[in-house]
Amino acid sequence: MIYHNAHDFHTDQPKTKASIRKVALSADCLRQIERWHECQKHSIGTCRYVFSTTGIPMNRNAVEKMIWHKADECGLPRVNCHSLRHAHASLLIEQGANPLLLRDRLGHSDVKITLQVYGHLYPNRDQTLAQSLDGLVTLPAAKQSPQESDEKNSQRTGEEPEK
């Protein structure tokens, strides 16, 4: 949305084709939006904008002031709208999000952009990745030579193996 003021705003084409996308929302998020939509209906009637208290869209500063107010109430640090986008992406990475899926969700035109911005959050994944291979391939137990078998038995009993 291009927002100049409360009387001069319009939607325009996004920066890239990748910006035109559907973004799945969690059930918790949808419930909160539905609650907000009900509040809007009671106070201003039907409204086509999520971020509105008057029927016209709020500008970014008004949204950030709302976020700051709630952050202050909760004793959290103040953040801007774009920081919420980064927090969202960071949480998804922590949950194991695939970079290609994250690229699509964020509307990046290329996964390189996603990895340039968020790649530093992936390095500790190597050990997790390695551990995910454990148990996927099992080999039959190797046949033991009679000498190896005697050595293992003697270790259990504490006796010296015969030579």
Side-chain angles (χ1 to χ4, degrees):
M1 174 163 299
I2 308 300
Y3 189 99
H4 298 288
N5 61 50
H7 305 290
D8 183 12
F9 59 89
H10 63 279
T11 56
D12 201 355
Q13 290 296 321
K15 290 190 279 187
T16 67
K17 285 185 179 181
S19 296
I20 301 170
R21 63 199 185 279
K22 290 183 180 181
V23 178
L25 299 176
S26 70
D28 287 345
C29 184
L30 287 172
R31 276 192 294 277
Q32 292 301 320
I33 290 172
E34 287 170 3
R35 285 180 57 197
W36 173 242
H37 189 63
E38 285 300 314
C39 290
Q40 283 179 312
K41 277 184 188 177
H42 293 302
S43 63
I44 60 174
T46 303
C47 184
R48 58 184 279 213
Y49 303 106
V50 173
F51 293 103
S52 177
T53 56
T54 62
I56 59 172
M58 300 170 105
N59 68 31
R60 180 183 302 185
N61 292 336
V63 174
E64 285 183 354
K65 284 181 184 177
M66 287 176 60
I67 293 169
W68 293 350
H69 177 73
K70 288 298 178 187
D72 292 346
E73 280 182 4
C74 297
L76 298 171
R78 291 180 172 189
V79 295
N80 62 31
C81 294
H82 200 72
S83 295
L84 294 177
R85 175 182 169 87
H86 289 305
H88 174 77
S90 300
L91 289 170
L92 289 174
I93 290 168
E94 184 61 31
Q95 296 295 314
N98 178 310
L100 294 173
L101 296 174
L102 192 59
R103 171 207 59 195
D104 295 343
R105 187 167 183 89
L106 296 174
H108 292 156
S109 57
D110 191 324
V111 73
K112 289 178 189 175
I113 297 168
T114 309
L115 292 173
Q116 284 172 348
V117 176
Y118 299 104
H120 67 284
L121 299 176
Y122 283 98
N124 353 349
R125 300 290 181 191
D126 192 42
Q127 186 61 40
T128 304
L129 190 61
Q131 289 172 344
S132 72
L133 296 172
D134 285 345
L136 290 179
V137 177
T138 56
L139 301 174
K143 292 190 177 185
Q144 297 176 349
S145 68
Q147 182 181 358
E148 288 175 319
S149 182
D150 287 344
E151 286 175 5
K152 283 191 178 177
N153 286 336
S154 68
Q155 286 174 354
R156 273 188 261 135
T157 61
E159 299 173 4
E160 284 291 319
E162 291 182 23
K163 302 226 177 196

